[in-house]
């Protein structure tokens, strides 16, 4: 259900991703949080009965909030009625438990306060989770991504989609941030993600060598040297690189 939660996925995220420990939170959600206290979702596309800001027939739920136990900052939704308990937020979009009627398993609503869109999307948490599915990420370069989208998409993208996302940031993104992602993929990623990291790194060495963070560059080259299935490709790329 949840993706890996590397530290780099939290970079530039300023909005809280925790919820208050409210007795109205259903037991099923509390049980879910006992194993992994929230996190980014692997499947994050929820079908909807009408168009939303995210698609013609779906909306994106990027994460489930953890329950705050130690005074952490929590999601605030002052424009929503008190009977709604939000458990996920992306800018003006909220997923909430509708506790207007006392129920052990309250229905779930999606609310976009910017366009005043209110939808009931599931009659329980189990139904909500069952409906979540994978999504082909919209890679249109004209669509500006928020930090939350950018980090979540990098976590879940595979193959050509990951290559396209990394290429999108090859010139303009902060190099420390980009190299932290390449290090994450090279060390913890699938074989396909490791190969994508090598392709992105090759571009950096060819065209941006004077901008590269030297310490992280050394870490990355050491990792590629140790990956048996990429060592030959790494050395082939290396032939075209001039010294840093």
């Amino acid at each position: 259900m949840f993706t890996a939660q590397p530290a780099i996925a939290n970079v530039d995220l300023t909005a809280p991703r925790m919820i208050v420990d409210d007795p109205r939170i259903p037991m099923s959600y509390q049980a879910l949080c006992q194993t992994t206290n929230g996190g980014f979702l692997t499947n994050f596309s929820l079908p909807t009965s009408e168009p939303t800001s995210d698609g013609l027939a779906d909306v994106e739920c990027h994460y489930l909030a953890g329950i705050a136990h130690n005074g952490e900052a929590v999601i605030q939704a002052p424009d929503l009625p008190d009977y709604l308990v939000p458990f996920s937020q992306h800018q003006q979009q909220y997923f909430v438990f509708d506790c207007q009627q006392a129920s052990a398993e309250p229905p779930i609503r999606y609310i976009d306060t910017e366009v005043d869109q209110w939808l009931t999307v599931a009659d329980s948490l189990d139904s909500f989770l069952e409906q979540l599915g994978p999504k082909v990420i919209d890679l249109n370069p004209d669509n500006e991504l928020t930090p939350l989208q950018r980090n979540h998409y990098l976590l879940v993208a595979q193959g050509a989609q990951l290559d396209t996302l990394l290429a999108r940031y090859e010139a303009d993104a902060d190099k420390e941030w980009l190299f932290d992602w390449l290090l994450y993929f090279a060390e913890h990623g699938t074989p396909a993600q490791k190969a994508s990291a090598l392709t992105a790194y090759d571009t950096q060495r060819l065209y941006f060598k004077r901008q590269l963070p030297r310490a992280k560059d050394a870490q990355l080259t050491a990792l590629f040297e140790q990956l048996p299935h990429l060592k030959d490709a790494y050395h082939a790329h290396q032939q075209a690189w001039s010294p840093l």
Side-chain angles (χ1 to χ4, degrees):
M1 176 184 298
F2 295 111
T3 71
Q5 304 293 308
I8 183 58
N10 294 317
V11 169
D12 295 330
L13 304 188
T14 57
R17 284 173 295 138
M18 305 290 283
I19 55 175
V20 66
D21 190 4
D22 192 307
R24 296 174 297 173
I25 296 172
M27 292 299 295
S28 54
Y29 195 90
Q30 296 182 43
L32 186 65
C33 286
Q34 287 176 0
T35 304
T36 300
N37 197 23
F40 287 105
L41 291 164
T42 302
N43 291 330
F44 61 98
S45 175
L46 183 78
T48 56
S49 59
E50 60 187 61
T52 71
S53 298
D54 294 329
L56 294 176
D58 81 311
V59 65
E60 297 177 6
C61 182
H62 295 281
Y63 68 90
L64 301 185
I67 298 175
H69 296 295
N70 300 301
E72 299 95 339
V74 297
I75 297 172
Q76 299 288 338
D79 295 333
L80 298 182
D82 289 341
Y83 60 79
L84 299 177
V85 179
F87 63 87
S88 190
Q89 177 188 7
H90 179 221
Q91 296 187 316
Q92 77 286 344
Q93 299 169 286
Y94 298 88
F95 290 91
V96 303
F97 296 114
D98 185 345
C99 302
Q100 190 169 15
Q101 304 295 329
S103 172
E105 286 293 333
I108 291 173
R109 303 184 76 177
Y110 161 73
I111 300 169
D112 185 335
T113 58
E114 183 175 47
V115 296
D116 199 29
Q117 183 176 37
W118 297 57
L119 299 176
T120 299
V121 292
D123 58 12
S124 67
L125 178 65
D126 286 345
S127 173
F128 177 80
L129 296 176
E130 288 171 2
Q131 292 182 68
L132 290 174
K135 181 168 184 175
V136 176
I137 300 167
D138 183 356
L139 298 174
N140 184 341
D142 294 330
N143 293 339
E144 185 176 352
L145 302 181
T146 66
L148 180 67
Q149 289 173 314
R150 181 183 67 177
N151 289 352
H152 188 199
Y153 292 166
L154 281 169
L155 278 177
V156 299
Q158 295 286 337
Q161 287 207 316
L162 180 57
D163 291 335
T164 301
L165 280 172
L166 290 173
R168 179 173 186 158
Y169 305 121
E170 64 188 16
D172 301 328
D174 176 78
K175 296 301 182 187
E176 296 278 350
W177 173 85
L178 178 60
F179 268 62
D180 278 340
W181 273 109
L182 297 184
L183 283 165
Y184 168 71
F185 291 131
E187 189 168 9
H188 302 290
T190 65
Q193 289 173 321
K194 294 177 193 289
S196 293
L198 177 57
T199 299
Y201 178 64
D202 179 49
T203 299
Q204 295 299 305
R205 282 299 304 264
L206 287 172
Y207 302 109
F208 304 99
K209 67 175 187 177
R210 294 180 181 176
Q211 304 172 33
L212 305 188
R214 296 301 179 90
K216 290 175 182 176
D217 179 84
Q219 289 178 265
L220 200 53
T221 56
L223 282 170
F224 286 132
E225 285 279 8
Q226 297 168 16
L227 295 175
H229 69 289
L230 287 180
K231 184 178 287 189
D232 289 346
Y234 169 69
H235 287 152
H237 287 309
Q238 198 176 38
Q239 301 305 309
W241 300 337
S242 57
L244 290 176

